């Protein structure tokens, strides 16, 4: 597994470009968000999505799937966002939230039959730079904690690398992250937001 060091305060465009090329070629990468380290592939590459689901043990027909977007504008191409939902996204993103929204038809066939998609715009310039340079969202799932469930196994790049060597093609080391999962908010009915999982961040209504 190749490891690229990128400092969130000083984005290395060459490294971002190398990671994006890996995504375009159908590879899996690990990268930092503002909450946990995550495994990702291009959200529009069906074969890569299947590989990611197999690695994480996800049944895409039954389990919740999330995309990481560069900004709300990119998210609006893949999720249906009404005026109330837009205001909530604008007030809270970028940030430590996953918003469940009605899915659009632009998503690949793994989403067919699914009415919703989780949308993230992390407050981490590495994550948003990847989605911006790729030109479409990343299908993302957090890395698995180790058997002891230690925070370092999902937040410390050295621990993450140790657990995933030989399992993914490339990793971006962006330093330690918080280790607290995102707060999940269901806004499929934007008039009645519902917090599904309490996590990092304080939601502004």
């Amino acid at each position: 597994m190749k490891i690229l060091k990128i400092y969130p305060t000083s984005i290395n465009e060459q490294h971002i470009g190398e990671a994006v090329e890996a995504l375009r070629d159908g590879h899996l990468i690990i990268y930092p968000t503002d909450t946990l380290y995550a495994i990702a592939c291009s959200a529009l590459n069906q074969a890569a999505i299947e590989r990611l689901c197999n690695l994480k043990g996800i049944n895409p027909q039954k389990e919740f799937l999330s995309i990481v977007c560069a900004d709300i504008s990119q998210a609006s191409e893949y999720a249906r966002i009404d005026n109330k939902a837009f205001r909530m996204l604008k007030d809270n993103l970028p940030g430590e939230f996953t918003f469940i929204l009605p899915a659009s038809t632009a998503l690949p066939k793994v989403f067919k039959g699914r009415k919703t998609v989780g949308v993230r715009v992390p407050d981490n310039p590495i994550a948003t730079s990847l989605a911006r340079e790729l030109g479409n969202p990343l299908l993302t799932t957090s890395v698995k904690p180790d058997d002891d469930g230690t925070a370092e196994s999902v937040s410390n790049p050295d621990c993450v690398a140790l657990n995933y060597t030989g399992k993914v093609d490339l990793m971006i080391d962006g330093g330690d992250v918080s280790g607290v999962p995102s707060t999940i908010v269901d806004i499929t009915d934007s008039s009645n937001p519902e917090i599904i999982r309490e996590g990092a961040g304080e939601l502004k209504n």
Side-chain angles (χ1 to χ4, degrees):
M1 178 174 67
K2 185 168 188 178
I3 298 177
L4 304 175
K5 178 74 177 180
I6 301 180
Y7 297 95
T9 53
S10 178
I11 298 297
N12 183 317
E13 297 295 344
Q14 185 175 346
H15 284 353
I16 291 290
E18 186 172 347
V20 165
E21 280 306 306
L23 291 165
R24 286 182 178 144
D25 289 342
H27 297 303
L28 305 185
I29 72 166
I30 288 176
Y31 72 104
T33 72
D34 50 357
T35 55
L36 312 174
Y37 270 82
I39 313 167
C41 65
S42 169
L44 303 186
N45 187 315
Q46 184 66 30
I49 291 170
E50 289 171 5
R51 186 178 165 204
L52 185 152
C53 289
N54 286 338
L55 174 63
K56 187 74 184 290
I58 292 171
N59 181 339
Q61 301 307 314
K62 295 182 178 179
E63 296 183 51
F64 178 66
L65 296 173
S66 291
I67 56 173
V68 162
C69 301
D71 49 33
I72 298 171
S73 176
Q74 189 180 70
S76 68
E77 298 176 42
Y78 301 93
R80 299 200 304 277
I81 303 172
D82 64 21
N83 289 337
K84 286 183 179 179
F86 176 79
R87 285 196 293 272
M88 179 163 281
L89 296 183
K90 194 169 183 295
D91 287 344
N92 291 282
L93 297 177
E96 302 155 304
F97 301 95
T98 301
F99 287 101
I100 302 175
L101 287 156
S104 83
T105 56
L107 288 164
K109 67 180 183 181
V110 72
F111 285 90
K112 293 297 183 282
R114 299 180 65 91
K115 296 180 179 178
T116 61
V117 61
V119 170
R120 288 216 67 204
V121 181
D123 188 14
N124 182 308
I126 295 171
T128 51
S129 293
L130 288 169
R132 185 173 297 109
E133 182 68 21
L134 182 61
N136 61 256
L138 314 177
L139 187 81
T140 291
T141 179
S142 57
V143 297
K144 277 185 177 180
D146 60 21
D147 291 340
D148 296 330
T150 60
E152 288 79 8
S153 64
V154 294
S155 64
N156 176 272
D158 293 333
C159 294
V160 173
L162 193 63
N163 288 339
Y164 280 90
T165 295
K167 296 179 181 177
V168 302
D169 305 289
L170 183 147
M171 175 176 168
I172 295 175
D173 175 351
D176 287 348
V177 296
S178 75
V180 181
S182 65
T183 292
I184 299 176
V185 187
D186 186 340
I187 53 172
T188 48
D189 175 0
S190 59
S191 298
N192 186 30
E194 181 182 358
I195 294 178
I196 304 298
R197 180 184 73 191
E198 290 278 5
E202 187 170 329
L203 187 69
K204 298 174 187 172
N205 279 318

